[in-house]
Amino acid sequence: MIAFLVRRLLQAIAVMAVVALCAFFMFQFVGDPVNQMVGEDATKADREYLRESLGLNDPIPVQFGKFALKAAQGDFGVSYQHKRAVSTLIVERMPATLELAVTAAILAALLGVPAGVYTGLRRFGFTSKLIMTLSLIGISLPTFLIGILLIYLFAVILGWLPSFGRGEIVKIGAWETNFLSVSGLKSIILPAITLALFQMTFIMRLIRSEMLEVLRADFIKFARARGLPNRAVHYGHALKNTLVPVITIIGLQLGSLIAFAIITETVFQWPGMGQLFLQAVQVVDIPIMSAYLILIAFFFVVINLIVDMLYYVVDPRLRVDQPSGGGGHG
Amino acid sequence: MPEAPVGPPSVWHRIWDSDIFYSFRSSKITMVAAFLTALIFLLAIFAPLVAPHSPYDVATVDLMDAELPPAWEAEGDPRFLLGTDNLGRDLWSTILFGTRISLAVGFLSVIFGLVVGVSLGLVSGYVGGYVDSFIMRVAEIQLSIPGILIALLLAGTLRGVLSAEAYNDAIVYVLVLTIGTSIWPQFARTVRGSTLVERNKEYVLAARVIGLSRFSIMWRHVLPNVMGPVLVIATINLAIAILSEATLSFLGVGVPPTEPSLGTLINEGQNYLFSGLWWITIFPGMVLAVLVLAVNLLGDWLRDALNPKLR
């Protein structure tokens, strides 16, 4: 177990080093940071002074060392566009994105799991086929189009829900939340549905195919032979056995939730990290882009690490071929 | 098939007789999907002949015609079947030309990703060792990050490297590069897997014994035997690539409004949604959704038809 963990951890560190190197090269070769920071009328001496004080004349390995050290402490420099520290900008925007992503994830799980179980059990029923067809459309419609259609229907035609922004925000300490005002709650409905739809269809299809597989297994037949009620067989045996792969894959899907949040936030002008990143891409604001790259990579590495460990804990077969592996775990 | 094949049967003969074609003929949904895909492809390819107006020809565009609703609405103009956009361009023509750009970017991206992915997968599986672990680690890392994020980061970086003008001029190549880069790992992983199986077969050993170089063994002997699953991945990724292009253009880092793709059109139209000009967004959106759905259905069918487990 320890050897496995250490190996995984070393891999994770290697990945982060490579990503940091990519981010660093973006800084080095995309545009001149000095030009971005001073005005048109700056003298040559001013520029040279700034260049020296930023450490841009140091050897490249030294610069990379400094960059990595700062990044590890959460210091990603100053945004060219906003003229403020990138870390502050990201921290400010983070609550909006997290609230949106978590709401969407909960929505997706609450609707996706039952729909998947239902379509898996009543494979040939009319409702199941309807749900499956609708889910195919859900997968084929791009996120931004779903958002626009929802806006058109609920904001333009019906006028029930706001189409952009977060509504009235309540501050709790440094955290700005949507959940404590009526307009805030109304504002989060459409973006959350937009973001959740793809995840929901994904979870549903996954659970359905896993259910179909598990329901064919011998232990299900045995459970039926023992005369257990359908409910116990379906939920106690079948669903429980589908959850292992489902949980890991849902974990890995958290990443795509963040990616799609960029799109959703743009459609609904939701002031989160995704919108910050997209605006940075549009005006080539390298500090924000590289900070986002490092942050996302870190996020993914951590998720992967957790998922790997979960596999190890959950699936006893993985432990068999490692004699030093912890027999007493799980 | 009239002529009896002499020696090995002709390609067409084999296609007609194959299980795959049989499963195609017996699935109605697949046939509809294939018909829609072919229709959209043909309309896009022959857009200059089919389109009643040329959206790129400034002389034929009149701002007086701007924001007209579709022809069947009260204020519609019979000259403009689906209405006009904010600049007075005929929406039907613009959609035809836009689909052309979307499809071109989609196809080229898949070809780029396929060439890169298949080559790296082949080398990875055949050479093995450090080369293999390096390529596969990179692929794994990339696979765990959503493609659209990678494409956005690459597009942003290229924006910084190129000037705004050069970026817009080279936008098709930029998109092909970014989208292609975001999809190569799937090809690489699949091809590596089948290469690992093929490399120990007798024909490869025989080729090595007669002294062929590594390159020609990989290229001429292994490659043809690992290409089967690549077709399926390519089809599914075509849908993904078309969506990626639309998304990038929608987010404003793709094709500029002067020569709009479907995504750009949807983005432009979104600004006019509140003024009630729904057609600028909805029609391109419908074309995009139908196209992606049809290609997805074809990909699903191909995957099942080629999967021996499901026969």
Side-chain angles (χ1 to χ4, degrees):
Chain A
M1 179 71 184
I2 303 233
F4 172 82
L5 264 185
V6 169
R7 205 166 56 231
R8 279 297 178 197
L9 212 59
L10 284 178
Q11 271 180 11
I13 291 172
V15 169
M16 283 313 295
V18 171
V19 170
L21 200 63
C22 291
F24 173 70
F25 277 119
M26 266 164 61
F27 256 117
Q28 280 290 313
F29 296 113
V30 183
D32 183 359
V34 174
N35 277 346
Q36 298 278 354
M37 294 166 98
V38 298
E40 291 282 313
D41 50 344
T43 63
K44 209 173 173 203
D46 283 348
R47 285 167 193 265
E48 273 313 308
Y49 174 72
L50 192 60
R51 183 171 291 276
E52 186 62 42
S53 66
L54 284 172
L56 291 174
N57 291 333
D58 294 346
I60 289 203
V62 175
Q63 286 194 41
F64 176 63
K66 282 186 184 166
F67 174 83
L69 210 64
K70 275 185 173 174
Q73 295 164 349
D75 178 2
F76 297 100
V78 176
S79 152
Y80 298 156
Q81 186 195 4
H82 300 272
K83 313 283 180 205
R84 293 171 57 201
V86 173
S87 48
T88 328
L89 285 168
I90 289 184
V91 168
E92 272 177 16
R93 303 286 192 114
M94 203 176 268
T97 299
L98 284 183
E99 287 192 347
L100 179 59
V102 169
T103 312
I106 293 173
L107 203 64
L110 280 184
L111 295 175
V113 174
V117 172
Y118 182 83
T119 49
L121 291 177
R122 305 244 157 84
R123 211 177 144 190
F124 300 107
F126 175 74
T127 322
S128 291
K129 282 189 174 157
L130 189 73
I131 294 177
M132 287 306 286
T133 314
L134 285 178
S135 81
L136 198 63
I137 296 171
I139 282 182
S140 296
L141 277 179
T143 312
F144 62 89
L145 201 55
I146 293 172
I148 290 175
L149 290 177
L150 287 177
I151 288 180
Y152 187 59
L153 185 61
F154 290 103
V156 178
I157 294 184
L158 297 172
W160 290 351
L161 297 167
S163 65
F164 64 90
R166 288 182 79 185
E168 202 179 311
I169 294 164
V170 179
K171 262 196 160 186
I172 306 173
W175 188 279
E176 297 177 330
T177 180
N178 265 43
F179 294 121
L180 293 176
S181 71
V182 177
S183 72
L185 281 173
K186 270 175 141 182
S187 300
I188 205 170
I189 295 176
L190 290 184
I193 292 177
T194 308
L195 191 55
L197 214 57
F198 180 82
Q199 301 298 323
M200 194 186 90
T201 47
F202 186 83
I203 292 175
M204 189 197 102
R205 289 176 151 253
L206 191 69
I207 296 226
R208 174 178 176 272
S209 66
E210 290 287 334
M211 282 291 275
L212 290 179
E213 199 127 304
V214 171
L215 283 173
R216 274 202 299 256
D218 285 341
F219 70 86
I220 296 289
K221 281 182 200 144
F222 182 62
R224 287 198 202 284
R226 271 156 64 204
L228 292 180
N230 266 341
R231 231 176 67 112
V233 177
H234 292 159
Y235 299 99
H237 291 74
L239 182 61
K240 219 168 153 191
N241 275 286
T242 64
L243 285 184
V244 176
V246 168
I247 287 172
T248 43
I249 293 183
I250 290 176
L252 291 176
Q253 279 290 310
L254 272 179
S256 58
L257 213 53
I258 293 181
F260 288 124
I262 298 176
I263 302 162
T264 313
E265 286 178 10
T266 309
V267 175
F268 290 94
Q269 295 168 42
W270 189 263
M273 292 193 303
Q275 205 191 30
L276 183 74
F277 170 68
L278 188 74
Q279 283 163 358
V281 168
Q282 280 164 350
V283 300
V284 199
D285 194 340
I286 298 288
I288 292 185
M289 280 165 65
S290 72
Y292 199 81
L293 173 64
I294 292 177
L295 206 69
I296 292 287
F298 181 71
F299 193 71
F300 278 107
V301 163
V302 170
I303 290 179
N304 274 328
L305 212 57
I306 294 174
V307 166
D308 275 345
M309 288 193 302
L310 270 184
Y311 259 145
Y312 196 84
V313 172
V314 162
D315 193 342
R317 279 169 299 184
L318 284 177
R319 276 173 264 165
V320 175
D321 53 2
Q322 284 178 326
S324 62
H329 294 277
Chain B
M1 293 291 106
E3 74 272 46
V6 186
S10 78
V11 176
W12 291 114
H13 196 98
R14 269 162 43 200
I15 289 177
W16 181 259
D17 270 351
S18 65
D19 299 343
I20 295 171
F21 201 80
Y22 176 77
S23 94
F24 177 77
R25 281 179 292 165
S26 52
S27 162
K28 276 202 188 90
I29 285 194
T30 309
M31 281 175 22
V32 172
F35 171 74
L36 285 175
T37 313
L39 182 72
I40 294 177
F41 278 22
L42 286 176
L43 282 176
I45 291 168
F46 295 108
L49 302 175
V50 182
H53 305 260
S54 166
Y56 304 152
D57 189 355
V58 189
T60 64
V61 176
D62 188 350
L63 213 54
M64 294 297 286
D65 295 332
E67 303 179 1
L68 286 173
W72 58 84
E73 301 240 324
E75 292 149 40
D77 186 318
R79 282 181 300 154
F80 307 111
L81 180 63
L82 299 182
T84 57
D85 70 358
N86 49 315
L87 298 174
R89 292 183 293 203
D90 174 39
L91 199 58
W92 167 237
S93 313
T94 320
I95 287 176
L96 286 175
F97 278 88
T99 313
R100 214 171 187 217
I101 297 177
S102 297
L103 280 177
V105 172
F107 265 104
L108 291 174
S109 307
V110 171
I111 290 172
F112 180 78
L114 187 148
V115 170
V116 171
V118 169
S119 321
L120 286 178
L122 201 58
V123 170
S124 190
Y126 192 78
V127 176
Y130 285 115
V131 179
D132 179 37
S133 19
F134 177 74
I135 295 177
M136 281 307 115
R137 270 304 98 67
V138 175
E140 256 170 43
I141 296 170
Q142 224 201 289
L143 268 182
S144 65
I145 302 177
I148 194 76
L149 256 182
I150 297 195
L152 267 176
L153 275 167
L154 266 175
T157 313
L158 284 170
R159 263 183 174 229
V161 176
L162 303 168
S163 68
E165 240 172 77
Y167 184 86
N168 277 347
D169 284 347
I171 185 65
V172 170
Y173 304 103
V174 170
L175 287 173
V176 167
L177 184 73
T178 52
I179 298 171
T181 310
S182 72
I183 60 178
W184 73 268
Q186 286 187 24
F187 291 103
R189 293 240 299 204
T190 313
V191 167
R192 172 183 175 265
S194 8
T195 306
L196 283 179
V197 177
E198 294 294 322
R199 64 178 283 194
N200 293 324
K201 287 198 176 160
E202 283 179 355
Y203 71 90
V204 176
L205 285 179
R208 269 161 66 185
V209 167
I210 62 172
L212 289 182
S213 71
R214 262 184 179 180
F215 178 78
S216 67
I217 296 178
M218 275 192 264
W219 179 251
R220 298 184 47 187
H221 296 266
V222 179
L223 182 65
N225 288 302
V226 298
M227 284 303 276
V230 169
L231 185 65
V232 178
I233 305 179
T235 315
I236 293 170
N237 273 290
L238 178 63
I240 295 175
I242 293 172
L243 268 187
S244 301
E245 185 278 325
T247 307
L248 288 177
S249 293
F250 175 78
L251 293 177
V253 292
V255 184
T258 44
E259 292 180 21
S261 74
L262 292 176
T264 321
L265 274 174
I266 296 169
N267 186 23
E268 292 282 291
Q270 192 204 359
N271 304 325
Y272 296 89
L273 209 55
F274 286 96
S275 342
L277 311 183
W278 52 273
W279 55 92
I280 308 179
T281 299
I282 302 294
F283 288 132
M286 269 163 52
V287 173
L288 181 66
V290 169
L291 176 62
V292 173
L293 182 64
V295 175
N296 262 335
L297 284 170
L298 278 184
D300 275 357
W301 158 75
L302 205 58
R303 188 188 54 209
D304 293 348
L306 292 179
N307 186 348
K309 272 193 200 161
L310 291 177
R311 290 233 180 95

